[in-house]
């Protein structure tokens, strides 16, 4: 019989990964529970846990009462075995959060990008300050994900264009990786909000849904089969350009170095924060922001109904166009306008879509409201990278 000396080592690696993956996904477990769920014998499960303890990856965090015998030890992945950083970059601030391998945020800071000449320096300061606040070294980070508005090229990893971040040009991705001395991922901010929604919000566990972000700008995240759909050029979800009835078509939308495309016309001109605030003024509602305009209209009762109905109709034009192509089943309204409208606006959008579209999706409102959804999504994306690195190391 041919000898295969590499097989025992391979089996040990497979067993270690299975146990570690289970602990990362479910939290503290006993040796018996790990054995039952992985199919490992008691002896093999004990050997696996011993190896993981020796590598500094797991530890005993308590005990669990069993039957007649002694309490069983509870094992958990050591929180400090890896850290990640997530960032949200905007024109007025950069938010940075550091989390442990379980996804628990242990530090969060905000930096004003105006004091920096280059994006790399601003991002560097935000990450360093967050690490300092978390009392860890920069070298402890196993994943860094940055959320930005605009289109991210899936091939180069660079922001192709962004109205809010004109300084983020080709080469920034490589410059950031060089500055931080580690791999960096730049991701569209609305896509990251969708990741947070699927993990913690109304779309939790849902494999097929879209998230419509209505705020200063307009964006759409598409989740299909549990994965983000970005498109060949990273432009999937640029719904602001969608042609809609009664609105001029977007014109001169070419993207060239140093030149941003126009967003005059299209759906953007109907439901951006600026458009909603202007519409609200026409109905006699004025406030400091589009979200506040929506809240004031809702509080006004019957007097606010016409404005809410018009906003719902405008949103429904975009939702219907998406639904006849993707039929996602669930549409999540997020961003300043969507969050302010809550379930009241969501139900009106659902009804408006049903009137103009053969597909009637469930329309819900984001429930990731107690934290920054983009920042949370960036942390979750970085966490996925770190956990995979930990599992394969």
């Amino acid at each position: 019989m041919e000898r295969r000396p590499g097989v025992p080592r391979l089996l040990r690696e497979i067993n270690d990964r299975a146990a570690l993956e289970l602990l990362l996904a479910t939290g503290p477990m006993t040796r018996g529970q790990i054995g039952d769920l992985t199919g490992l014998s008691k002896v093999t499960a004990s050997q696996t846990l011993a190896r993981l303890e020796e590598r500094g990856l797991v530890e005993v965090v308590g005990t669990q009462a069993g039957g007649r015998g002694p309490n069983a030890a509870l094992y958990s992945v050591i929180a400090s075995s890896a850290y990640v950083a997530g960032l949200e970059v905007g024109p007025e601030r950069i938010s940075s959060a550091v989390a442990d391998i379980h996804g628990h945020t242990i530090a969060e800071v905000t930096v004003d990008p105006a004091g920096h000449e280059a994006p790399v320096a601003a991002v560097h300061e935000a990450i360093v300050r967050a690490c300092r606040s978390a009392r860890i070294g920069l070298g402890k980070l196993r994943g860094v994900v940055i959320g930005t508005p605009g289109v991210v090229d899936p091939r180069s990893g660079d922001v192709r264009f962004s109205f809010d971040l004109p300084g983020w040009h080709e080469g920034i991705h490589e410059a950031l990786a060089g500055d931080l001395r580690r791999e960096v991922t730049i991701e569209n901010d609305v896509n990251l909000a969708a990741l947070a929604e699927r993990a913690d919000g109304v779309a939790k566990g849902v494999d097929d849904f879209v998230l419509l972000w209505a705020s200063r700008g307009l964006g759409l995240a598409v989740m299909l089969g549990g994965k983000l759909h970005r498109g060949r050029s990273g432009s999937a979800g640029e719904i602001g350009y969608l042609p809609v009835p009664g609105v001029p078509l977007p014109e001169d939308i070419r993207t060239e170095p140093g030149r941003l495309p126009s967003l005059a016309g299209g759906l953007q001109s109907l439901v951006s924060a600026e458009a909603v605030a202007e519409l609200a003024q026409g109905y006699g509602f004025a406030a400091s922001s589009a979200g506040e305009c929506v809240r004031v209209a809702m509080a006004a009762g019957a007097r606010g109904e016409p404005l809410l109905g018009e906003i719902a109709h405008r949103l429904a034009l975009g939702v219907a166009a998406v639904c006849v192509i993707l039929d996602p089943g669930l549409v999540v309204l997020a961003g300043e306008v969507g969050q302010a409208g809550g379930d009241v606006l969501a139900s009106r959008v659902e009804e408006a879509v049903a009137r103009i579209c053969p597909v009637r999706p469930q329309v819900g409102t984001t429930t990731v409201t107690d934290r920054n959804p983009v920042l949370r999504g960036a942390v979750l994306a970085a966490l996925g990278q770190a956990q995979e690195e930990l599992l394969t190391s």
Side-chain angles (χ1 to χ4, degrees):
M1 181 177 179
E2 181 183 0
R3 295 182 62 192
R4 301 178 65 189
V7 169
R9 179 180 178 181
L10 176 61
L11 289 175
R12 287 195 296 271
E13 291 175 355
I14 292 173
N15 293 340
D16 290 358
R17 179 184 175 109
L20 192 60
E21 193 168 15
L22 187 60
L23 287 171
L24 285 170
T26 61
M29 303 185 76
T30 66
R31 180 191 64 183
Q33 290 170 334
I34 292 172
D36 291 341
L37 292 174
T38 59
L40 300 177
S41 68
K42 290 183 178 179
V43 173
T44 303
S46 296
Q47 293 172 342
T48 297
L49 287 169
R51 286 193 300 271
L52 293 174
E53 279 188 288
E54 186 178 345
R55 292 171 57 192
L57 296 177
V58 303
E59 62 182 351
V60 176
V61 294
T63 59
Q64 183 179 80
R68 298 178 180 178
N71 293 345
L74 279 170
Y75 291 86
S76 177
V77 177
I78 297 175
S80 60
S81 58
Y83 294 95
V84 300
L87 293 89
E88 182 193 20
V89 176
E92 299 177 352
R93 69 178 186 178
I94 297 178
S95 298
S96 177
V98 169
D100 62 27
I101 194 62
H102 296 298
H104 300 142
T105 298
I106 54 179
E108 186 173 330
V109 302
T110 300
V111 170
D112 184 356
H116 301 274
E117 294 182 0
V120 173
V123 169
H124 183 96
E125 182 190 349
I127 293 179
V128 168
R129 284 181 54 185
C131 286
R132 189 181 300 129
S133 179
R135 298 182 178 180
I136 66 167
L138 191 63
K140 288 283 189 179
L141 296 179
R142 291 285 191 101
V144 177
V145 174
I146 302 171
T148 71
V151 174
V152 179
D153 190 325
R155 291 160 292 190
S156 68
D158 276 316
V159 178
R160 283 180 47 216
F161 66 85
S162 172
F163 289 92
D164 290 328
L165 304 174
W168 283 64
H169 49 72
E170 185 177 351
I172 290 293
H173 177 250
E174 184 178 352
L176 285 168
D179 176 76
L180 297 172
R181 298 181 181 178
R182 69 196 67 255
E183 181 55 40
V184 173
T185 299
I186 303 175
E187 179 62 89
N188 173 264
D189 53 359
V190 181
N191 282 345
L192 292 177
L195 290 181
E197 201 68 48
R198 187 169 188 264
D200 305 323
V202 69
K204 187 172 184 176
V206 178
D207 286 340
D208 300 310
F209 72 94
V210 297
L211 183 142
L212 180 60
W213 184 274
S215 197
R216 179 176 182 271
L218 191 66
L220 184 83
V222 180
M223 187 77 70
L224 297 176
K227 296 181 179 180
L228 286 170
H229 177 73
R230 300 174 178 85
R232 184 181 65 86
S233 66
S235 298
E238 289 298 310
I239 197 171
Y241 294 100
L242 181 72
V244 289
V247 176
L249 295 175
E251 294 182 356
D252 199 15
I253 60 172
R254 297 167 298 159
T255 57
E256 300 172 357
R259 180 182 179 281
L260 298 178
S262 169
L263 249 184
L267 187 63
Q268 171 83 15
S269 65
L270 288 181
V271 286
S272 67
E274 183 179 350
V276 169
E278 183 178 343
L279 177 67
Q281 284 186 341
Y283 279 90
F285 296 99
S288 58
S289 67
E292 189 60 29
C293 285
V294 173
R295 281 187 283 270
V296 170
M298 291 176 61
R303 194 169 72 87
E305 287 292 329
L307 172 59
L308 293 176
E310 178 61 24
I311 294 173
H313 169 70
R314 292 183 175 195
L315 288 170
L317 294 176
V319 172
V322 171
C323 288
V324 293
I325 302 297
L326 298 179
D327 190 14
L330 173 64
V331 177
V332 181
L333 301 183
E336 178 186 353
V337 174
Q339 188 171 322
D343 293 338
V344 173
L345 181 61
S347 64
R348 282 167 171 73
V349 172
E350 186 172 317
E351 292 169 3
V353 170
R355 289 194 294 268
I356 61 175
C357 174
V359 179
R360 179 163 184 167
Q362 175 189 351
V363 180
T365 310
T366 175
T367 54
V368 186
T369 57
D370 60 339
R371 65 187 77 178
N372 183 327
V374 176
L375 189 61
R376 180 58 182 167
V379 167
L380 291 171
L383 191 63
Q385 296 175 0
Q387 290 183 349
E388 183 59 30
E389 182 180 327
L390 206 62
L391 290 170
T392 56
S393 62

